Amino acid sequence: MSQTKADELRNALVDDILTQRHLPAAVERALRTVPRETFLPGIKLEDAYTDQAVTIKDHPDGGPLPLSCASVPSVVAMMLAQLAAKPDDNILEVGAGTGYNAALLAELAHEGKVTAVDIDADVALHARTTLNAAGYERVKVLERDGLLHVWESAPYDRIMATVGVWDIPTTWWSQLLDGGRLVLPLRWRGQTRSVALTRHGDTLVSDAMELCGFVPIIGQTSEKTALLTATGSVRVHYDADQAVDASALANTLAHAPCRGAWSAQRIGKGETFDGVWLRATASDDRVCRLEVTPEAVQQDLVRKPAMPSRSPALIDGDSLAYLTYRREDADPQRPFQLGAAAYGPHGESLAQHLIAHIEAWGADRTALPRMTITPVETAPPTGHTIEKWESRITLAY
């Protein structure tokens, strides 16, 4: 197809993204300038300009997630807006991927420097090749573990991770200038959110966070899984610091389901309720992620969760409660009522706690917590603290 057609498709995609969110003028210009198709050789032009992720390398162990992919363009745009890069910034990107995001960063920091690293040799070579083809030879691409020190161009004004991160490594503190900005898909209690943080001495303080999903970074294996069925059709995912007894949970579904509970909160079709999960993590260390396969739902092994692949759940010994919903036509604008399904001896109590989290979210559905991250050896600020290996996350509303 002609270059004119590519330009038309690119501009149409950006126009569509602009209907979803406001973008800084510099980010909009970068998205309209960088040819995404160049970074996705072999992909149909129309597919290069749809708002979806594109896998460029499958995971070698055959896992469900790819090793590397081109992120959803609207998510890319959102994270670039969070980064707030300046023309003369020195930027580090962790997770080179296709090279597309590095090209966008080069447009934003056109008077500065951009370094992109990737642990996989094939991915790093792909990024280097496509960046050269698109005319971004000045972007430095290194085959490097992004969790380690990238000393060649350090220190950096901005660090941006385009892979899911469970913990802030100590090396990033030594590379980010005081007053510098870090944007990353941060994972805690089973959810992933793109968090924008500014460094103030020994603290990183958030001013934005949005739900997202990313391939996890290689080298941080601090999430665990407990099976509630022998086949793994129902499972919970939890963090290493959480007191979850996987053997006890194996018998949870053997108990008859509890009555559960229903909240006063209702939602309309397409209305997001992920804030319930976020709100719960700011005060409750029992929050995990429940995953239920479609087969388990069809076989009626459990009451259907609000989101079968990823619903917040509270775990206590051999009991759990998780987010569910039912249709109540009394309010045609918001016909779906949020509630808690529960199993196990302490299920009813857990359901009531989950309802309290739902109601707290419902009182201010757009509220976001203030996240403060400190190195593990320093004292955390006031608030609910989540322990990682190298850092502490403190959340406070």
Side-chain angles (χ1 to χ4, degrees):
M1 292 187 183
S2 68
Q3 185 59 47
T4 300
K5 181 62 174 177
D7 292 344
E8 290 175 354
L9 290 170
R10 186 180 315 113
N11 286 319
L13 174 60
V14 178
D15 290 343
D16 183 59
I17 293 172
L18 288 170
T19 66
Q20 304 171 40
R21 66 175 63 249
H22 170 76
L23 293 177
V27 173
E28 180 185 344
R29 283 194 299 269
L31 291 167
R32 294 190 189 278
T33 300
V34 178
R36 191 172 188 247
E37 74 275 12
T38 303
F39 299 88
L40 297 170
I43 301 297
K44 291 181 180 179
L45 189 60
E46 290 86 351
D47 293 338
Y49 288 109
T50 56
D51 198 27
Q52 63 184 15
V54 178
T55 297
I56 63 168
K57 185 173 183 179
D58 292 323
H59 207 286
D61 66 5
L65 296 175
L67 181 70
S68 184
C69 68
S71 301
V72 177
S74 58
V75 174
V76 171
M78 175 267 290
M79 293 181 69
L80 291 174
Q82 288 182 326
L83 190 67
K86 295 180 292 186
D88 59 349
D89 275 343
N90 182 20
I91 303 175
L92 172 64
E93 181 194 24
V94 178
T98 64
Y100 173 64
N101 195 69
L104 293 167
L105 291 172
E107 289 288 338
L108 295 172
H110 53 84
E111 298 173 13
K113 295 186 291 185
V114 176
T115 302
V117 300
D118 205 287
I119 195 171
D120 185 83
D122 292 339
V123 174
L125 178 59
H126 177 103
R128 176 72 277 160
T129 302
T130 54
L131 282 162
N132 288 350
Y136 294 95
E137 293 89 348
R138 71 182 185 87
V139 174
K140 183 179 292 184
V141 179
L142 301 173
E143 181 190 337
R144 182 74 54 81
D145 183 346
L147 297 174
L148 303 179
H149 204 292
V150 185
W151 52 266
E152 284 85 347
S153 299
Y156 301 97
D157 301 290
R158 301 284 191 273
I159 297 177
M160 183 177 192
T162 51
V163 283
V165 177
W166 187 83
D167 192 7
I168 307 294
T170 301
T171 51
W172 289 9
W173 290 90
S174 63
Q175 296 179 98
L176 183 64
L177 288 166
D178 197 14
R181 199 156 172 84
L182 170 63
V183 172
L184 74 166
L186 186 62
R187 193 166 183 85
W188 74 97
R189 303 301 187 240
Q191 62 176 343
T192 303
R193 291 180 183 267
S194 179
V195 183
L197 304 128
T198 299
R199 181 177 181 182
H200 302 282
D202 288 335
T203 64
L204 292 165
V205 181
S206 72
D207 57 39
M209 60 177 68
E210 294 204 38
L211 191 70
C212 66
F214 273 81
V215 174
I217 196 168
I218 294 174
Q220 288 186 343
T221 54
S222 297
E223 291 178 293
K224 301 182 178 182
T225 299
L227 305 184
L228 278 74
T229 60
T231 62
S233 60
V234 181
R235 59 179 71 187
V236 293
H237 304 274
Y238 59 99
D239 289 338
D241 67 301
Q242 291 180 283
V244 173
D245 186 343
S247 60
L249 283 173
N251 300 314
T252 298
L253 298 185
H255 299 279
C258 302
R259 287 182 301 165
W262 294 100
S263 75
Q265 303 304 315
R266 288 173 164 77
I267 58 171
K269 185 176 181 180
E271 187 176 356
T272 181
F273 49 89
D274 279 294
V276 172
W277 200 334
L278 180 60
R279 172 69 70 162
T281 66
S283 61
D284 199 328
D285 279 327
R286 299 169 297 178
V287 182
C288 303
R289 175 169 73 92
L290 178 73
E291 178 187 5
V292 178
T293 65
E295 292 75 21
V297 173
Q298 292 168 4
Q299 294 168 14
D300 219 16
L301 295 181
V302 292
R303 288 173 57 183
K304 186 177 180 180
M307 298 168 286
S309 64
R310 42 175 304 276
S311 280
L314 301 184
I315 303 293
D316 182 9
D318 59 354
S319 304
L320 85 157
Y322 57 86
L323 190 67
T324 187
Y325 69 91
R326 66 184 178 186
R327 187 177 183 95
E328 289 285 320
D329 292 326
D331 183 353
Q333 297 300 314
R334 287 181 164 172
F336 302 104
Q337 183 180 18
L338 298 179
Y343 291 80
H346 310 297
E348 291 285 1
S349 175
L350 289 173
Q352 293 300 326
H353 283 283
L354 183 52
I355 293 299
H357 293 313
I358 296 171
E359 298 294 359
W361 163 78
D364 187 351
R365 297 189 176 195
T366 61
L368 293 174
R370 180 185 178 92
M371 174 182 285
T372 304
I373 302 179
T374 52
V376 72
E377 65 272 10
T378 64
T382 302
H384 182 74
T385 299
I386 297 173
E387 298 286 337
K388 303 286 186 172
W389 298 126
E390 298 182 69
S391 66
R392 291 189 178 98
I393 295 175
T394 303
L395 295 164
Y397 277 88

